[in-house]
Amino acid sequence: MGDKVETKNYRLQLVISLIGIAILMFGVILFNQNILMSLPLGVRAVLGVLLHWGPAIVPIIIMILNKEGLRELGFSKEKLGLQILIGIIIALAMSFAFTLIPILFGFKDMVGSTTYTKLWQFIYEFAYRILGVAFAEEFIFRGFIFYKLLQIKRSRKHAIIISSLLFGIYHIFSGNIIQVFMTFLIGLFLSMCREKIKNCTITSLIVAHGVYDALIVVLVAIL
């Protein structure tokens, strides 16, 4: 009986989190469209990073109420340098397969575009992608949601598929059905990296995700 009650609570926490993530994400999009671009450059740069953490507010509150820590989500202090190195290697492999090869075969327009020309813009892109986009999204999807799915049903395969699917759907706000499908596949890939590669943690995935995203801009600009 106790297990059923706990499972029900975990499901409720997950549903509340998903609703909160969707509402806050929509709010961030509206803010970006109507207010952000009217602000000074420096303010936009800082908010660009911070706003990506908006959708994570509800999961963070639930973790605090449950007295859950980052370790439960897959973070580790052990061999931190190795974790980061693994993330960089994964990012380079992803960039080669998903960015460099398509560009070389003439699909540059499908890969992305950029107006960046100055060094500081590219440096900021790495900070924005790692500390904003990747950190928040990996915390939410490969961290909190993955953990809650494991609590509901103790199946890592189930957690990988559902969290990756939700990761893809999350991008419908800022993309299209193709991007939803691609981010679903990326979610599966990153999840499998954590499952199969020794010392690959959430930190590794944050680095991999952020560096990969930033390298898209760099490669599009120079090739």
Side-chain angles (χ1 to χ4, degrees):
M1 188 70 175
D3 289 342
K4 289 183 178 180
V5 172
E6 283 189 350
T7 300
K8 186 177 180 180
N9 287 336
Y10 295 145
R11 285 175 178 163
L12 180 60
Q13 291 170 20
L14 180 58
V15 169
I16 291 172
S17 296
L18 293 176
I19 293 172
I21 289 166
I23 292 172
L24 289 168
M25 182 61 192
F26 187 65
V28 169
I29 290 172
L30 289 178
F31 181 87
N32 289 344
Q33 290 176 344
N34 298 289
I35 299 175
L36 185 64
M37 296 310 295
S38 65
L39 300 175
L41 178 60
V43 176
R44 293 205 311 268
V46 174
L47 285 179
V49 173
L50 296 180
L51 285 171
H52 276 281
W53 280 94
I57 291 174
V58 175
I60 290 172
I61 291 173
I62 289 176
M63 286 184 64
I64 292 172
L65 293 176
N66 289 338
K67 297 181 180 180
E68 296 168 337
L70 294 177
R71 182 171 290 274
E72 282 89 342
L73 304 192
F75 287 91
S76 174
K77 295 179 181 179
E78 299 176 5
K79 300 181 180 179
L80 185 58
L82 180 58
Q83 294 177 46
I84 293 172
L85 178 60
I86 290 171
I88 292 172
I89 292 171
I90 293 172
L92 293 175
M94 292 174 67
S95 295
F96 178 78
F98 304 139
T99 306
L100 182 59
I101 290 180
I103 289 176
L104 294 178
F105 276 87
F107 296 101
K108 182 176 180 178
D109 291 340
M110 294 180 64
V111 171
S113 62
T114 183
T115 58
Y116 289 176
T117 57
K118 298 177 182 178
L119 179 61
W120 71 265
Q121 293 175 316
F122 293 101
I123 293 173
Y124 172 75
E125 184 70 12
F126 277 88
Y128 165 73
R129 293 293 176 177
I130 295 172
L131 301 178
V133 178
F135 205 153
E137 291 185 358
E138 294 305 316
F139 170 84
I140 292 171
F141 292 98
R142 253 70 66 192
F144 179 83
I145 290 177
F146 186 89
Y147 176 59
K148 288 300 166 186
L149 288 167
L150 278 181
Q151 289 180 315
I152 294 168
K153 183 177 181 179
R154 292 175 177 82
S155 167
R156 300 190 76 82
K157 181 179 178 180
H158 174 266
I160 288 171
I161 293 172
I162 300 300
S163 63
S164 299
L165 181 60
L166 291 170
F167 180 57
I169 293 172
Y170 174 84
H171 286 82
I172 196 68
F173 288 108
S174 56
N176 52 41
I177 193 65
I178 295 176
Q179 187 172 3
V180 168
F181 179 70
M182 290 302 298
T183 49
F184 165 65
L185 293 180
I186 289 172
L188 286 177
F189 176 76
L190 291 174
S191 295
M192 291 308 299
C193 285
R194 185 173 66 171
E195 293 298 307
K196 300 299 182 180
I197 300 175
K198 187 178 180 180
N199 295 310
C200 182
T201 64
I202 284 287
T203 301
S204 304
L205 301 188
I206 291 168
V207 173
H209 186 165
V211 172
Y212 164 69
D213 281 356
L215 283 177
I216 292 175
V217 175
V218 174
L219 292 172
V220 166
I222 65 178
L223 293 178

